[in-house]
Amino acid sequence: MGKPDTRHLDRQIRETTRKLDAARQRQMWPLNGRERRAILAAMTSVSVKVARHKSTDRDVTKADQAWESAATRLQAEITALETERQNVVNAAAAEKAAKTAKKSSGWW
């Protein structure tokens, strides 16, 4: 038995890592719909308040929180994918060990 097939999980981990890096650079493409709406609503509110010469502190904080929640979500996805990959590797190792033990016990 060869190495376990983790290509699919490895590809998903790479994609999610790219998304996390993009979200940390404040790019919109890796965000889901709810996060996009929250950021756009906060930025719209900021632009209206700037035009009216009012304070924008609360709205900027909301936008920052939305970016942080997106980064947290993506980090959690990476962690879950890495855990799943490790489970696949561990299961393959246990199966290989069981086969090896079965072969060696039959010889003697």
Side-chain angles (χ1 to χ4, degrees):
M1 172 154 187
K3 293 165 66 172
D5 188 19
T6 59
R7 289 181 303 219
H8 179 68
L9 290 171
D10 291 336
R11 183 172 45 85
Q12 285 182 331
I13 290 170
R14 281 192 307 272
E15 287 176 5
T16 309
T17 302
R18 275 187 53 230
K19 287 181 181 181
L20 178 61
D21 292 339
R24 286 181 177 159
Q25 295 173 2
R26 307 289 172 130
Q27 296 177 7
M28 293 289 285
W29 68 267
L31 305 180
N32 62 23
R34 192 186 101 250
E35 293 162 347
R36 283 185 184 154
R37 282 190 301 275
I39 290 171
L40 291 176
M43 291 298 110
T44 303
S45 180
V46 165
S47 64
V48 168
K49 287 185 178 182
V50 165
R52 293 181 181 173
H53 303 290
K54 302 217 177 191
S55 174
T56 60
D57 292 340
R58 183 178 301 162
D59 300 311
V60 171
T61 303
K62 283 183 184 180
D64 287 340
Q65 287 174 348
W67 284 113
E68 289 173 16
S69 71
T72 302
R73 175 185 60 85
L74 291 168
Q75 186 61 49
E77 285 182 21
I78 291 171
T79 303
L81 288 168
E82 288 174 344
T83 302
E84 181 62 27
R85 183 186 187 285
Q86 190 60 47
N87 289 341
V88 168
V89 170
N90 289 347
E95 182 179 323
K96 185 175 181 179
K99 275 188 175 180
T100 305
K102 186 176 183 181
K103 285 182 185 177
S104 65
S105 66
W107 176 257
W108 299 101

